[in-house]
């Protein structure tokens, strides 16, 4: 799949400087920093919605709405008091398509939509995603977990980021996991072109591929990031950055590096293993600030 002519560029702080974070006037209010909608969670995995939502706020998004199954919505409202929480109808563990009506009031104001973390029942998820995303064509779309399965049917028609690991990439692309691991650059590049999206293929090295053909590789992750819920925080972080105004590739690149730097900071304070995904968002503001100053980490 890959070739020497398509070697990725190393993703560093100097590369991120090409896509500076949006500047804010002293009197800027929360509306300027964008509105992110997180559609996530299930009765068995409610924490995914919480992790993604907090990460989006820690990325600097100005407004947050969480839409989650009715069975967990009230708990999320108490857990994230900064958010508006919309309860969505569900049946047998999956969201019902008619729940899209409850999102209509947010459609005009949402600048980034994160959908998928912690959602269950693939068929129901795909039907729901296919019904919802046309309402948010003007927003940057961040697809994670089972919501990514929507690309198995058709290419996306709006700015989008997908964040698969090797196993998910194999499932979505029809390749074997061994083939993905053998040539992650080629797998990411071909998927980005086929799906018309920015793809971050997560792993020991993360490959970011743009639909237009750009390729970047980031090698600064740590083993401790391979922990339950870590991907949920990355999806929320990318969504929060997109809500602030970064285009998909830039939001993805900043998110991948800031996420890794947050893990590095926790490694220094806690040790290389054993820190929790819920602790990562607390490190995001300092990580983003350091990167904006051209420093790799704090």
């Amino acid at each position: 799949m890959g070739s020497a002519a398509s070697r990725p560029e190393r993703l560093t702080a100097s590369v991120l400087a090409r896509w500076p974070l949006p500047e804010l006037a002293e009197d800027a209010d929360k509306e300027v920093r964008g509105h992110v909608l997180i559609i996530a969670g299930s009765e068995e995995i409610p924490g995914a919605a919480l992790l993604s939502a907090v990460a989006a706020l820690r990325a600097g998004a100005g407004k947050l709405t969480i839409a989650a199954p009715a069975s967990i919505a009230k708990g999320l409202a108490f857990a994230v008091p900064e958010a508006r929480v919309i309860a969505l109808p569900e049946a047998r563990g999956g969201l019902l398509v008619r729940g899209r009506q409850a999102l209509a009031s947010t459609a005009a104001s949402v600048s980034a939509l994160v959908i998928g973390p912690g959602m269950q029942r693939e068929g129901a998820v795909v039907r729901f995603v296919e019904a919802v995303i046309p309402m948010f064509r003007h927003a940057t779309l961040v697809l994670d977990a089972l919501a990514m399965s929507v690309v198995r049917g058709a290419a996306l028609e709006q700015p989008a980021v997908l964040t698969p690991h090797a196993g998910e990439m194999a499932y979505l692309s029809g390749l074997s996991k061994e083939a993905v691991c053998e040539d992650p650059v080629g797998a990411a590049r071909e998927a980005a072109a086929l799906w018309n999206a920015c793809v971050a293929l997560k792993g020991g090295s993360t490959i970011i591929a743009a639909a237009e053909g750009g390729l970047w590789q980031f090698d600064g992750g740590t083993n401790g990031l391979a922990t339950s819920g870590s991907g949920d925080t990355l999806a929320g972080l990318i969504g929060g950055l997109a809500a602030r105004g970064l285009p998909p590739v830039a939001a993805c690149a900043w998110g991948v590096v800031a996420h890794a730097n947050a893990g590095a900071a926790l490694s220094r304070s806690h040790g290389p293993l054993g820190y929790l995904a819920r602790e990562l968002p607390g490190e995001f503001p300092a990580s983003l600030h350091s990167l904006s100053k051209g420093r790799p980490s704090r």
Side-chain angles (χ1 to χ4, degrees):
M1 287 181 286
S3 70
S6 58
R7 288 176 181 163
E9 181 179 9
R10 297 290 174 178
L11 183 56
T12 63
S14 62
V15 173
L16 294 182
R18 302 175 195 165
W19 305 304
L21 295 177
E23 294 185 3
L24 291 173
E26 289 296 326
D27 60 349
D29 62 17
K30 63 185 179 182
E31 304 292 341
V32 176
R33 303 207 314 271
H35 180 185
V36 59
L37 170 62
I38 307 286
I39 305 177
S42 59
E43 190 170 14
E44 292 185 10
I45 317 174
L50 173 63
L51 292 170
S52 296
V54 173
L57 287 178
R58 292 294 192 179
K63 294 178 69 175
L64 169 67
T65 298
I66 304 170
S71 59
I72 65 170
K74 184 173 291 187
L76 286 168
F78 285 108
V80 192
E82 299 87 354
R84 174 188 177 188
V85 178
I86 298 173
L88 299 175
E90 58 186 318
R92 298 185 298 278
L95 293 178
L96 299 176
V97 170
R98 62 180 171 83
R100 69 192 296 272
Q101 299 168 3
L103 304 174
S105 64
T106 69
S109 64
V110 165
S111 43
L113 168 62
V114 179
I115 184 166
M119 295 172 70
Q120 294 184 300
R121 293 189 62 228
E122 182 180 22
V125 171
V126 170
R127 288 190 293 274
F128 186 82
V129 173
E130 289 176 339
V132 165
I133 59 177
M135 300 170 61
F136 299 92
R137 289 194 185 280
H138 61 284
T140 296
L141 179 64
V142 181
L143 295 175
D144 187 49
L146 288 180
M148 293 188 292
S149 294
V150 72
V151 300
R152 299 186 76 200
L156 296 166
E157 298 181 359
Q158 65 195 92
V161 177
L162 284 81
T163 59
H165 54 59
E168 291 169 327
M169 176 64 86
Y171 176 69
L172 295 170
S173 64
L175 299 169
S176 67
K177 184 176 179 180
E178 291 74 18
V180 172
C181 293
E182 182 178 336
D183 184 13
V185 173
R189 184 187 66 243
E190 292 185 9
L194 180 63
W195 301 337
N196 188 36
C198 174
V199 174
L201 177 53
K202 301 179 292 191
S205 290
T206 293
I207 305 298
I208 297 175
E212 318 78 66
L215 287 165
W216 297 267
Q217 180 171 338
F218 181 70
D219 298 318
T222 61
N223 290 339
L225 285 173
T227 188
S228 181
S230 179
D232 302 327
T233 67
L234 176 61
L237 173 58
I238 293 171
L241 291 167
R244 291 179 58 182
L246 286 178
V249 170
C252 184
W254 274 88
V256 165
V257 179
H259 187 259
N261 285 357
L266 289 170
S267 292
R268 291 192 292 272
S269 60
H270 290 64
L273 298 177
Y275 56 83
L276 305 177
R278 75 180 75 158
E279 296 168 318
L280 287 165
E283 302 291 336
F284 291 163
S287 178
L288 291 167
H289 179 70
S290 293
L291 288 168
S292 70
K293 300 301 181 183
R295 300 190 296 271
S297 62
R298 69 186 179 98

